[in-house]
Amino acid sequence: MAADFLGPESCKGCHPAAYDAWMQSKHARAGDSLSEAQQKDARCLSCHAPDQASQGVGHVTCETCHGGGQYYSPNYVMKDAELARLVGLVDPSEKACRNCHDASSPSLKPFNFVESLKAIDHWSAARTGKSARAETPSPEPVKKK
């Protein structure tokens, strides 16, 4: 299901630690690492700014990996992980990462998925210094009278 992108600022309100981790990542500056000529080369843009043509986004953002947030971004949807996934939230996989981080990448460094996950960790309690569920609280249980 295609959904419009809302931009990384829309994620920041509910996921400030994840947003801060992204801002410190190379993904947040991926488009800036290209030369002027590379910024016009579709082969380079396909990884450094994959959503530029369709969404006007010049970097690798939250939605590049997690899908356009139009349908899953409302707070009531994000409180229900199953619903969020049903309406478009993507849990990125190694296969998704390897769309860009592959043997044809000019980085000359082999891609190690497990190690790379550590570099972009924006979900674990160790990274955020709080419980893993702190950013997406569960709804309060209904109390019987």
Side-chain angles (χ1 to χ4, degrees):
M1 158 176 24
D4 285 339
F5 281 36
L6 304 176
E9 295 296 320
S10 69
C11 305
K12 181 180 181 179
C14 296
H15 306 284
Y19 178 85
D20 290 343
W22 169 74
M23 284 296 291
Q24 300 304 313
S25 76
K26 291 180 181 180
H27 284 154
R29 299 176 305 283
D32 295 341
S33 68
L34 300 174
S35 69
E36 193 172 321
Q38 290 171 326
Q39 290 176 9
K40 296 175 184 149
D41 188 330
R43 293 172 300 172
C44 300
L45 293 175
S46 68
C47 289
H48 287 261
D51 305 305
Q52 187 167 356
S54 64
Q55 301 292 334
V57 179
H59 304 288
V60 176
T61 69
C62 313
E63 293 167 298
T64 302
C65 300
H66 294 289
Q70 177 182 10
Y71 301 118
Y72 67 77
S73 67
N75 202 20
Y76 74 92
V77 175
M78 288 299 286
K79 286 182 178 183
D80 183 336
E82 185 177 350
L83 176 60
R85 286 177 182 88
L86 283 172
V87 298
L89 177 65
V90 174
D91 290 322
S93 64
E94 180 173 1
K95 182 179 177 184
C97 296
R98 288 193 180 275
N99 283 330
C100 292
H101 299 278
D102 63 3
S104 67
S105 172
S107 71
L108 303 175
K109 292 168 59 176
F111 180 68
N112 181 316
F113 179 69
V114 174
E115 288 302 312
S116 295
L117 279 181
K118 292 175 188 173
I120 64 164
D121 179 4
H122 59 277
W123 56 87
S124 74
R127 172 67 181 224
T128 62
K130 54 187 167 183
S131 75
R133 296 180 151 215
E135 288 198 352
T136 54
S138 299
E140 293 291 320
V142 176
K143 294 180 182 177
K144 294 184 180 180
K145 293 182 181 183

